[in-house]
Amino acid sequence: MDRRRINGPAGATQPPVFDDVVSQGAKTVSGRSRMPDASRKMYLKTGVTPSASGSAYLEMETSAKPGASGLKLSCSVHGPRALPRSAPFSPHIVLSTHIKYAPFATKQRRGYLRDPSERDLGIHLEAALRGAIIADRWPKSGVDIIISIVEGDQDRETSKSQGEEAWDMMNALAGCITVAAAALADAGIDCVDTVAGGVAALVQDGGADSTPTIVVDPIPSDHAKILAACCIAYLPTRDEVTNLWFRGDLPASDMDLYTHLVEKGILASRNANCVLTNCLMETIE
Amino acid sequence: MTTPTIDLPGPIFAKLAPHPYQLRALSRGARTNGRATQEPRALSINASPLSHAHGSALVRLGDTTVLCGVRGELLPVEQIPQFRPLGGEEEYLEGEYGGAGGIGRGELRDYDLLVPNIELATGSAPQFLPGVPPTALAQTLSTRVYSLLHAAGLVKAGDLRVWYRPGEGKKQEDGGMEGVEQEVAEEDRVVAYWVLYIDLLFLSYDGNPFDAAWAAVVAALRDTKLPVTRWDPDREMVVCSRAEERKLNIKGLPVACSAAVFMEKEQSEAVTVAGDGRNWILLDPDRLEETLCKEMITIVVDCSDGETRIKSLEKQGGTVLGRELIRGFVGVAEERWAEVQMAMK
Amino acid sequence: MTTSTGPLVLPGEALDPSLIPSHPKHPLRLGPGLRHIPPSDIVPTVAGQLTTNSHKNSLWVEANSNRYIPQQNDPILATLLRTAPDSYLLTLSPHTAPASLPHLAFEGATKKTRPILSPGQLVYARVALANKHMDPELECVNPATGKADGLGPITGPGCAFDISLGFARRLLMARSREEGGVGVLEMLAGEEPGITGGGLSFETAVGRNGRVWVGSESAATVIVVGRALQETDRNGLGMEGQRRFVKKLLREMK
Amino acid sequence: MTATAAPEAALGVLPRADGSAKYSHAGYTVTASVNGPIEAQRRDELASEAHVDVIVRPAAGVGGTRERHLEVILQSSLSQIILVKNFPRSLIQIVLQVEDSPENDYVNTKIVQASLNFAVMPALMQTAVLALLSAGVPMKATATATAVAIARVDGAKKITVDPSPRDIETAQSVHVLAFTSHDELLLAESEGDFTIGEWDEVYETAKGICCRPAAAAKEGMAMVLDDDDAGGTDMRQFLRSTMESKVAADLHWK
Amino acid sequence: MPREAEPSLNEKQFVAQALQENLRLDGREFDQYRPLELSFGDQYGVADVTLGRTRVLAKATAEVTVPYADRPLDGVFTIATELSPMASPSFEVNRPTETEVLLSRLLEKTVRRSGALDTESLCLVAGQKCWSVRVDVHVLAHDGNLIDASCAAVVAALRHFRKPDTSMDAGVLTVYTPAEREPVPLSWLHSPFCVTWSFFGEEGDIAVLDATWLEEQVRVGSCTVSLNKHGEICQIAKLGGTPVDAVALLQCTNVALARVKEFSDMLDAKLAEDAKRRDKGGFMAELRAENDR
């Protein structure tokens, strides 16, 4: 019981149980409507939080499947500002990243306290950005990067039944990286390059024995099975990867599969990067 | 404090000496944000931006942006320790809206069926960074929304009840407290309640949080559709239909209207003593103005059915706003109501 | 008797002009509990009894309280907190910012001869400087004469007792018995006829900050004096009550 | 116990606080302590004035958001009447402990999420003011507060002063108003459903209780005890007489 | 954080020295308590205990709740001790000090673990519904010996408390409001009290009861004995401090028993007296309830 919030009834409340899902547990595959290399449409806008030094809002086009909506992210950047006296000396800027799902972001209501998965995302994001920021330009100072996941990519029910939340988290992370990059640029914090995030996955749509294919920007509910996926933070002009998160297992048969997957991941982040640069251009004009 | 003679560039002056800055602006007839004292910022509402919530709304009040999501979850009566079935349905009928025209009564409050919470710590402003427990401001806002929800009787208790009707239609003519004692299994009975989690997320903060938050709550509730439910006796649980949804019956349209009093004297020192200087009533104050004002007022009015009903009045932190000014302010609130009503459409 | 007592006043109340003394020569002097709001308003800030002294042409609000607010020239009984490079830091009352006592503010003190005090030491000092924007400053020497006038670190057996500020003021009155209505000390010292077993030998140092020091070779005496003072203060004993209580104490001592 | 009983107050009930008061009225009993001016903590130190810290503690259960709200309201109102400018960088701490609140015999109360009804506000405000006076904290003015409820009793409008929880349940609107001793509206909190006309009536009623001109009050102490709903208790006179007895006790020796 | 004001060296030395001469600053005997006063509030379950200048208020309340999964047949019983700045500005809300932790632990052991309250009697529907009884301890003024005063207040409050009446029929639980049925007392098994000794002198050979705040700041050690009037010891706590001779401790417990007997008798008397005072009130309530039906 949190004495700083309004706590609602003492007894446990349950999310609604629907007549249809009760009967059938199996998940429906809507099937992918995009080309393997095509990312979903992305909407990006900076300066949504004027009082912050920089901010950005990102929205992913909603996928066809009802109930599963698009990703909606709001990011604000505060700083650079002097570190508190108590903090130890730091020759470069100290990034603190904070990612939080809104209570209504997912099918299951989220609590107000950060859970481990949200912390993980924060750590990945931190790693992805550290490679992009010119950190030594602000010694003894810190910057806060705060992202609210207003709407999660997937409805968690399906991802739960799949038992693989990670795929959602990867999509979320890719978005977070891109929106954070936009917000940083909006804050005028010098970066070596515009970093953007992208996801590629190895999916198996046609039953167990079909040959798996690689797609970018996957939506788990579109695919029967996701074997593996990787989320990549990538600096296009320098051709550098600042963060790579791989998960799943690749069939031993094809040695190059991993490399292909990463390449596709980079492709995905390139796609995102186009949107990012366009958005930043507009703001300049 | 007097206005410096050297003319600094606005932003710097504002930072160095916000009060004289504001004072100078006002004596020139406009606020630092360019608005007239009685001029609110435009309010835009966009309904159901969220897909996972049962109802939602995004409200923009100038640079204050708040997102409200309403989500229903089911609370079986056996999960309510202090639950007390009343008699037949007749009993439930009295006191539909939060009860007997009175406030602080009925199931809504007793069983905590409405759970509003406000989150400011989203980096919505430099002073609201995450990782800290809700500030006094956040807690105060949540409480105000909570009280107003009940006081204004916005939500109908009936909408949140889940009935089990074994013999559809047929009713016992039996009510009263004693009705409780011989509870027959075959009677129609309430088996569960919907609990509405009303979560408010500030994406951008530039003052006057309450007006924005309250507008978002009302809009989100008006947007809320709960799935139609039935009690499954065999599985002993409430089952919802995917196909059918029911809108909530939201009573009236209460609109919040806030203002702050800016005193000529920076220090509230000379309050109550002659010559405490000029003062301005700033409608819909922004972040800077809030920090410069101590006295605040919020009036919540509802003009839906012709005459103006006041749902809440909160004035504190000063002695400028007396009876007459408050009476006058009701008029301002009425105008605001009309504007917000348009925005709600 | 030049001081006359007026009615009860509450903060912010308008004063009846007839109560404000108007002395031909002396300027009007406002004492504690009043503030002057230009041009001509005099307003009470605390609840108490409006009191005037037509002779000094002064006006103040008589009240009692517990929280000491430093005033220049007040004698106070302070506890040493710690030592700073060139001054000692002392507490006048709990939870307040410490007051500073320069190392050289003692009788005949030089870099070499200054007294070395250890934390916890009680010091009887005078408030040399007090204003709301600075922490108060103390001295243990009369700057005019360079004499200690009884100020300085408190040594020898004895104990300090907490009393109300009003009571401290009464004890400090020139004729504390007649004006302040405190007789216990004389009674215990045996200067009061009809009280047997008096004649205790002890010394006292009263601090305006609501602390009184009682020193004596005999611990029993210290305790009796201390209790007599606190009882008189807390239970508001009149002369007769004091007499009775003192007798009781002396009986117990036997 | 009964809601119509006249208010009662005792000052200085907490021996170790600078000021304290116990106040019971309309079924509420609140004890308040005031400490200050004391040293403020870094985080809430104000350069030019004292920080007024208000803490409200429910009788049972842990305080929640509701208590924070009450604290914020009281804090902003009390810093208006306290002379905060006199004590820069310091802290004036007011702790309000609810001891009893009228129980509603028709409901079994929930405790875990203690949420004080805002009809407790007048009691809190009054106790705080009394405690401040007893602590001798300099103030610009005093304040008085009251609660009023409007109910529809079979069609007719009924205005109830100091409503009981039962009244509040069935009321259409509940109002809390506080006035300074200069008859200015210091605080106004209303919730429910009412018109500005009704609020005017409420205002009149409340003002009659909080700001009865001293002249009327002078017509004898009887006023204090009179508590018919029409007039209601004369809060200002009550405050006065309470302080009179306190000061009389303090200055018994004069 | 304003720290608690330390007494001056002179005071400390004097207190210690005086004790050597069998003298206490307030003239009490070593084994003498300050006058203990107990009063009950208008409502059931409110007890106000003053011990000299120390004052503690305890309020007992009850509500229906869900029992802990691991103890389906037990009710919930909690004692909440949260020291507020009212006791002293050095206490902060949500920042437990050592004093606070110590106090709550001792009350826990003395009252809760000793089974003073029959928690099984609080069970309403096994595993589903039970009473949650809660005592909030509010320290209003702190002039030493919080433990003994608080314990007395808690016990008094619980003995005085009445919880709403309930009935079960056809598996339906009804909790009656006070208007419908007079509330009923808790099923109480025994009344433990705390007696705290403070030790002074190099060997801690001087033992003193009911120390004041000043004495507590000078003492070299302390020991709290909790027992009921039958001489059954619930707990003994001597947490650190100068070692004390075991035999001396035994002596202490004997004296403690005598004190506890006095407390018990005093409490019983007060309760009886209060019951008489309420008798009429109770009757009125009955009437009110009648009219309601």
Side-chain angles (χ1 to χ4, degrees):
Chain A
M1 132 113 194
D2 181 345
R3 64 165 77 179
R4 294 189 186 82
R5 290 194 170 85
I6 293 172
N7 287 284
T13 58
Q14 307 143 1
V17 178
F18 290 97
D19 36 20
D20 52 0
V21 286
V22 173
S23 50
Q24 46 103 342
K27 96 178 224 270
T28 47
V29 180
S30 55
R32 185 181 170 95
S33 46
R34 282 170 286 134
M35 301 311 299
D37 289 358
S39 301
R40 285 172 294 167
K41 279 211 186 58
M42 186 193 293
Y43 168 76
L44 189 58
K45 182 175 180 295
T46 55
V48 293
T49 310
S51 59
S53 357
S55 60
Y57 176 79
L58 178 148
E59 193 166 323
M60 282 273 202
E61 175 200 64
T62 312
S63 70
K65 184 173 179 293
S69 77
L71 190 65
K72 293 193 181 71
L73 304 173
S74 167
C75 174
S76 66
V77 171
H78 295 273
R81 55 171 111 194
L83 288 171
R85 300 192 168 283
S86 52
F89 170 81
S90 148
H92 48 71
I93 197 164
V94 177
L95 288 184
S96 60
T97 54
H98 190 286
I99 298 183
K100 180 84 191 75
Y101 278 89
F104 40 69
T106 50
K107 262 276 158 62
Q108 251 66 7
R109 182 169 181 275
R110 285 269 193 160
Y112 275 98
L113 302 174
R114 269 208 296 177
D115 67 18
S117 65
E118 288 167 326
R119 295 182 185 284
D120 290 353
L121 284 174
I123 293 161
H124 279 293
L125 178 64
E126 204 266 344
L129 298 177
R130 209 189 303 121
I133 292 183
I134 307 175
D136 47 14
R137 195 154 290 182
W138 295 277
K140 295 181 290 177
S141 50
V143 62
D144 298 87
I145 297 149
I146 305 130
I147 296 182
S148 310
I149 303 183
V150 168
E151 192 130 273
D153 193 13
Q154 263 293 325
D155 65 278
R156 303 188 75 74
E157 255 168 40
T158 25
S159 51
K160 278 260 171 50
S161 63
Q162 258 180 326
E164 289 164 4
E165 278 181 55
W167 310 140
D168 294 331
M169 284 178 62
M170 283 195 174
N171 282 339
L173 177 60
C176 289
I177 295 168
T178 314
V179 76
L184 281 171
D186 185 42
I189 293 176
D190 315 51
C191 298
V192 293
D193 190 358
T194 53
V195 64
V199 181
L202 181 70
V203 299
Q204 196 167 36
D205 286 342
D209 43 8
S210 64
T211 50
T213 52
I214 300 181
V215 298
V216 305
D217 185 18
I219 299 177
S221 57
D222 287 354
H223 307 284
K225 191 164 189 350
I226 295 180
L227 301 173
C230 68
C231 174
I232 287 178
Y234 178 72
L235 304 169
T237 47
R238 309 186 126 213
D239 186 22
E240 282 176 10
V241 170
T242 58
N243 186 48
L244 189 157
W245 180 19
F246 175 86
R247 197 166 179 283
D249 39 4
L250 301 165
S253 53
D254 184 347
M255 279 304 132
D256 312 335
L257 212 44
Y258 180 76
T259 343
H260 293 318
L261 194 60
V262 172
E263 279 160 1
K264 292 291 185 184
I266 290 174
L267 175 66
S269 44
R270 280 185 179 282
N271 298 347
N273 210 294
C274 301
V275 183
L276 175 53
T277 37
N278 291 340
C279 162
L280 294 179
M281 288 303 184
E282 286 164 17
T283 49
I284 292 163
E285 284 146 21
Chain B
M1 280 219 153
T2 54
T3 331
T5 47
I6 45 143
D7 214 32
L8 297 159
I12 302 171
F13 186 5
K15 272 226 171 345
L16 288 177
H19 189 276
Y21 181 61
Q22 182 68 254
L23 183 56
R24 186 182 61 173
L26 284 169
S27 8
R28 294 175 182 175
R31 296 148 71 168
T32 46
N33 51 33
R35 289 189 272 147
T37 53
Q38 299 284 303
E39 178 188 354
R41 293 169 289 185
L43 182 102
S44 83
I45 300 170
N46 125 17
S48 52
L50 299 175
S51 42
H52 293 317
H54 290 116
S56 58
L58 178 74
V59 166
R60 284 204 190 77
L61 180 63
D63 283 342
T64 295
T65 311
V66 59
L67 182 59
C68 176
V70 177
R71 166 167 299 173
E73 292 202 354
L74 285 158
L75 178 68
V77 288
E78 54 275 10
Q79 284 292 333
I80 308 175
Q82 76 276 26
F83 175 68
R84 260 187 96 152
L86 304 176
E89 193 153 357
E90 308 75 21
E91 274 232 14
Y92 283 102
L93 290 175
E94 64 103 2
E96 273 301 2
Y97 288 101
I103 56 182
R105 172 160 179 68
E107 303 142 281
L108 287 181
R109 204 179 277 256
D110 292 351
Y111 304 154
D112 300 299
L113 300 183
L114 304 176
V115 191
N117 272 297
I118 286 183
E119 183 61 275
L120 285 167
T122 59
S124 57
Q127 69 265 42
F128 303 129
L129 293 184
V132 293
T135 56
L137 175 61
Q139 296 185 50
T140 307
L141 289 171
S142 301
T143 313
R144 289 171 68 189
V145 169
Y146 177 91
S147 331
L148 188 50
L149 269 172
H150 289 96
L154 210 56
V155 179
K156 204 171 156 209
D159 286 353
L160 303 184
R161 295 190 196 110
V162 178
W163 284 91
Y164 172 44
R165 301 199 168 82
E168 276 298 347
K170 94 165 199 294
K171 282 206 204 96
Q172 267 82 344
E173 288 312 311
D174 153 85
M177 292 296 195
E178 299 87 344
V180 178
E181 264 88 337
Q182 70 280 342
E183 173 85 29
V184 193
E186 277 333 277
E187 247 178 41
D188 290 4
R189 63 177 207 271
V190 172
V191 288
Y193 286 95
W194 283 104
V195 172
L196 296 182
Y197 291 95
I198 303 167
D199 295 296
L200 289 138
L201 201 68
F202 273 83
L203 299 179
S204 172
Y205 182 93
D206 187 23
N208 199 2
F210 186 74
D211 290 8
W214 179 249
V217 169
V218 174
L221 284 171
R222 288 156 70 97
D223 175 58
T224 302
K225 299 181 206 63
L226 292 174
V228 171
T229 53
R230 63 179 176 79
W231 173 256
D232 183 335
D234 322 330
R235 300 216 309 287
E236 295 220 313
M237 65 182 292
V238 178
V239 182
C240 309
S241 116
R242 274 227 191 273
E244 282 183 281
E245 287 182 326
R246 227 179 349 87
K247 265 184 151 299
L248 292 178
N249 308 297
I250 299 306
K251 181 176 146 212
L253 175 60
V255 169
C257 178
S258 301
V261 179
F262 180 83
M263 310 285 285
E264 177 169 20
K265 285 229 182 68
E266 183 160 11
Q267 323 299 15
S268 70
E269 176 54 83
V271 156
T272 76
V273 178
D276 52 354
R278 294 172 295 169
N279 56 60
W280 293 263
I281 299 177
L282 309 179
L283 188 59
D284 180 22
D286 65 22
R287 206 160 116 259
L288 171 69
E289 289 165 343
E290 273 180 348
T291 58
L292 298 175
C293 300
K294 287 208 165 95
E295 185 169 7
M296 306 273 177
I297 182 169
T298 300
I299 290 191
V300 179
V301 296
D302 188 346
C303 315
S304 324
D305 41 13
E307 70 164 341
T308 305
R309 311 291 307 179
I310 305 175
K311 298 295 180 180
S312 154
L313 187 162
E314 299 173 84
K315 162 240 145 79
Q316 67 201 53
T319 52
V320 171
L321 293 166
R323 179 190 200 159
E324 285 322 309
L325 284 173
I326 290 178
R327 283 182 125 281
F329 192 66
V330 174
V332 179
E334 283 163 349
E335 287 171 29
R336 190 60 171 160
W337 185 85
E339 293 165 22
V340 175
Q341 190 209 23
M342 292 308 293
M344 285 275 177
K345 291 201 175 110
Chain C
M1 194 65 180
T2 52
T3 64
S4 57
T5 59
L8 167 90
V9 290
L10 293 179
E13 278 186 345
L15 295 185
D16 179 348
S18 66
L19 296 168
I20 300 170
S22 51
H23 192 281
K25 288 183 236 39
H26 301 302
L28 180 64
R29 291 171 63 241
L30 291 187
L34 293 170
R35 65 171 180 152
H36 172 238
I37 298 167
S40 61
D41 293 336
I42 295 172
V43 186
T45 60
V46 299
Q49 187 175 39
L50 189 68
T51 317
T52 55
N53 182 320
S54 53
H55 195 71
K56 298 201 193 73
N57 199 37
S58 61
L59 176 70
W60 71 94
V61 177
E62 188 85 52
N64 191 9
S65 65
N66 296 325
R67 176 60 57 178
Y68 176 66
I69 292 155
Q71 296 292 335
Q72 202 163 10
N73 294 327
D74 281 355
I76 49 87
L77 198 56
T79 312
L80 196 146
L81 213 54
R82 60 181 181 278
T83 308
D86 54 1
S87 66
Y88 294 111
L89 296 180
L90 299 89
T91 332
L92 303 189
S93 60
H95 312 299
T96 51
S100 70
L101 170 60
H103 286 156
L104 300 182
F106 294 87
E107 177 172 350
T110 67
K111 281 261 176 299
K112 298 190 176 47
T113 62
R114 70 180 178 85
I116 306 299
L117 308 179
S118 51
Q121 170 68 51
L122 271 178
V123 179
Y124 195 45
R126 182 192 299 108
V127 179
L129 180 134
N131 79 51
K132 64 182 180 179
H133 293 290
M134 293 160 63
D135 294 341
E137 203 172 301
L138 309 176
E139 61 188 9
C140 287
V141 57
N142 180 336
T145 63
K147 291 268 163 288
D149 307 355
L151 300 177
I154 285 188
T155 50
C159 191
F161 297 84
D162 292 342
I163 52 175
S164 72
L165 299 188
F167 192 65
R169 196 174 145 270
R170 287 161 63 188
L171 284 173
L172 282 166
M173 286 175 173
R175 288 150 57 243
S176 65
R177 187 195 174 86
E178 293 70 14
E179 289 172 32
V182 190
V184 279
L185 296 181
E186 287 87 337
M187 298 175 192
L188 289 163
E191 296 157 15
E192 167 115 348
I195 290 191
T196 53
L200 306 178
S201 71
F202 59 88
E203 53 172 355
T204 60
V206 183
R208 269 288 211 162
N209 56 333
R211 312 209 67 202
V212 54
W213 163 266
V214 180
S216 166
E217 284 308 320
S218 136
T221 306
V222 173
I223 290 173
V224 164
V225 176
R227 286 179 64 194
L229 289 170
Q230 287 188 328
E231 184 77 7
T232 312
D233 178 19
R234 289 175 187 169
N235 299 345
L237 300 183
M239 268 309 163
E240 201 30 55
Q242 295 177 35
R243 223 173 260 113
R244 235 180 280 108
F245 189 69
V246 166
K247 288 199 181 116
K248 172 167 164 295
L249 286 174
L250 292 173
R251 235 178 287 115
E252 285 171 6
M253 267 183 95
K254 296 284 171 302
Chain D
M1 183 75 188
T2 53
T4 47
E8 295 168 14
L11 298 188
V13 291
L14 305 179
R16 303 197 72 228
D18 290 344
S20 58
K22 178 174 182 168
Y23 172 82
S24 356
H25 184 39
Y28 293 98
T29 302
V30 182
T31 294
S33 75
V34 167
N35 279 299
I38 57 177
E39 197 170 10
Q41 291 180 53
R42 263 285 155 62
R43 55 177 146 84
D44 44 33
E45 183 180 287
L46 303 178
S48 63
E49 60 179 51
H51 169 74
V52 178
D53 182 16
V54 182
I55 298 170
V56 175
R57 295 170 57 79
V62 294
T65 57
R66 171 70 97 176
E67 283 67 28
R68 294 297 88 64
H69 187 205
L70 291 170
E71 288 168 3
V72 168
I73 295 172
L74 284 163
Q75 196 267 349
S76 68
S77 306
L78 293 172
S79 5
Q80 285 296 313
I81 55 170
I82 298 172
L83 280 164
V84 285
K85 286 284 155 307
N86 290 18
F87 310 106
R89 306 184 329 280
S90 64
L91 167 71
I92 293 171
Q93 188 169 54
I94 305 166
V95 186
L96 291 153
Q97 176 67 63
V98 178
E99 289 188 14
D100 257 3
S101 42
E103 253 164 26
N104 183 349
D105 285 354
Y106 299 84
V107 194
N108 284 314
T109 40
K110 297 181 305 221
I111 299 133
V112 174
Q113 293 182 23
S115 111
L116 286 167
N117 188 305
F118 84 125
V120 72
M121 181 59 83
L124 294 175
M125 172 79 83
Q126 223 57 78
T127 321
V129 170
L130 287 168
L132 284 165
L133 287 171
S134 108
V137 173
M139 296 197 282
K140 297 181 196 116
T142 57
T144 46
T146 189
V148 178
I150 301 183
R152 289 240 168 287
V153 182
D154 37 57
K157 189 183 337 150
K158 178 165 171 291
I159 293 190
T160 319
V161 177
D162 307 321
S164 72
R166 184 66 170 164
D167 298 331
I168 288 169
E169 251 185 28
T170 50
Q172 278 204 312
S173 62
V174 181
H175 313 258
V176 169
L177 290 88
F179 296 84
T180 67
S181 46
H182 300 92
D183 298 4
E184 301 152 312
L185 182 62
L186 178 63
L187 171 71
E189 296 270 316
S190 309
E191 67 176 31
D193 177 68
F194 56 100
T195 64
I196 190 66
E198 288 174 322
W199 186 76
D200 266 331
E201 294 179 50
V202 168
Y203 183 94
E204 281 308 322
T205 321
K207 190 158 184 184
I209 291 163
C210 296
C211 313
R212 196 165 305 169
K218 282 283 177 287
E219 288 151 23
M221 303 303 286
M223 296 300 276
V224 190
L225 306 169
D226 122 34
D227 54 328
D228 54 53
D229 275 7
T233 325
D234 178 348
M235 289 312 294
R236 194 170 283 177
Q237 176 54 31
F238 166 75
L239 201 68
R240 196 158 229 300
S241 51
T242 311
M243 291 321 292
E244 262 160 4
S245 42
K246 189 251 182 191
V247 170
D250 281 354
L251 307 182
H252 66 91
W253 50 272
K254 297 196 86 177
Chain E
M1 169 75 272
R3 268 185 295 97
E4 189 51 63
E6 274 271 313
S8 71
L9 219 56
N10 311 55
E11 289 164 85
K12 286 182 177 171
Q13 287 162 353
F14 181 81
V15 170
Q17 179 222 341
L19 285 166
Q20 297 291 352
E21 302 177 23
N22 291 342
L23 294 168
R24 293 176 79 173
L25 254 61
D26 48 16
R28 270 186 294 155
E29 301 299 323
F30 282 2
D31 62 353
Q32 187 186 355
Y33 266 79
R34 290 167 288 182
L36 184 146
E37 282 155 31
L38 165 64
S39 64
F40 296 108
D42 291 326
Q43 291 166 18
Y44 284 121
V46 181
D48 188 335
V49 167
T50 62
L51 199 51
R53 284 151 67 84
T54 292
R55 180 157 168 234
V56 179
L57 178 89
K59 182 178 174 79
T61 44
E63 71 181 331
V64 180
T65 178
V66 186
Y68 293 125
D70 55 337
R71 331 213 59 204
L73 299 177
D74 272 356
V76 180
F77 175 33
T78 41
I79 304 174
T81 42
E82 192 180 63
L83 297 183
S84 76
M86 184 174 268
S88 153
S90 61
F91 296 123
E92 244 183 311
V93 187
N94 303 340
R95 283 246 191 101
T97 54
E98 190 194 348
T99 326
E100 180 175 331
V101 176
L102 224 66
L103 176 60
S104 60
R105 260 204 232 121
L106 276 169
L107 291 178
E108 173 85 6
K109 287 190 194 146
T110 307
V111 183
R112 221 173 80 85
R113 303 251 190 91
S114 79
L117 172 62
D118 170 15
T119 48
E120 286 178 9
S121 71
L122 299 177
C123 175
L124 292 165
V125 184
Q128 277 189 19
K129 285 181 184 179
C130 69
W131 281 110
S132 161
V133 174
R134 176 189 171 96
V135 190
D136 288 82
V137 180
H138 304 296
V139 176
L140 304 182
H142 176 14
D143 189 20
N145 201 10
L146 281 188
I147 293 169
D148 298 7
S150 307
C151 183
V154 168
V155 171
L158 285 165
R159 294 267 310 268
H160 184 256
F161 181 57
R162 303 278 185 279
K163 66 172 165 35
D165 197 1
T166 56
S167 80
M168 279 289 286
D169 75 323
V172 179
L173 171 78
T174 315
V175 180
Y176 295 99
T177 61
E180 292 159 352
R181 286 197 193 177
E182 264 297 281
V184 296
L186 301 166
S187 89
W188 190 254
L189 299 180
H190 73 113
S191 300
F193 291 88
C194 290
V195 175
T196 303
W197 291 90
S198 301
F199 303 109
F200 300 83
E202 283 70 19
E203 289 77 34
D205 42 6
I206 302 176
V208 164
L209 272 181
D210 183 30
T212 64
W213 174 232
L214 178 59
E215 287 170 331
E216 280 186 359
Q217 282 173 306
V218 180
R219 72 185 174 192
V220 297
S222 75
C223 171
T224 301
V225 189
S226 310
L227 67 172
N228 59 24
K229 67 175 177 206
H230 312 300
E232 298 162 325
I233 294 185
C234 311
Q235 69 87 32
I236 298 184
K238 175 167 187 328
L239 309 155
T242 311
V244 179
D245 173 34
V247 184
L249 262 188
L250 278 180
Q251 178 50 29
C252 289
T253 49
N254 297 339
V255 181
L257 179 55
R259 293 284 164 284
V260 168
K261 287 210 172 96
E262 293 165 21
F263 292 154
S264 298
D265 300 347
M266 192 266 259
L267 176 53
D268 296 343
K270 286 277 183 188
L271 283 167
E273 177 187 316
D274 182 73
K276 202 172 284 120
R277 183 170 69 82
R278 283 174 186 275
D279 205 8
K280 194 162 90 288
F283 179 60
M284 298 301 282
E286 286 297 338
L287 281 182
R288 256 207 332 282
E290 288 309 320
N291 306 341
D292 237 61
R293 298 233 171 82

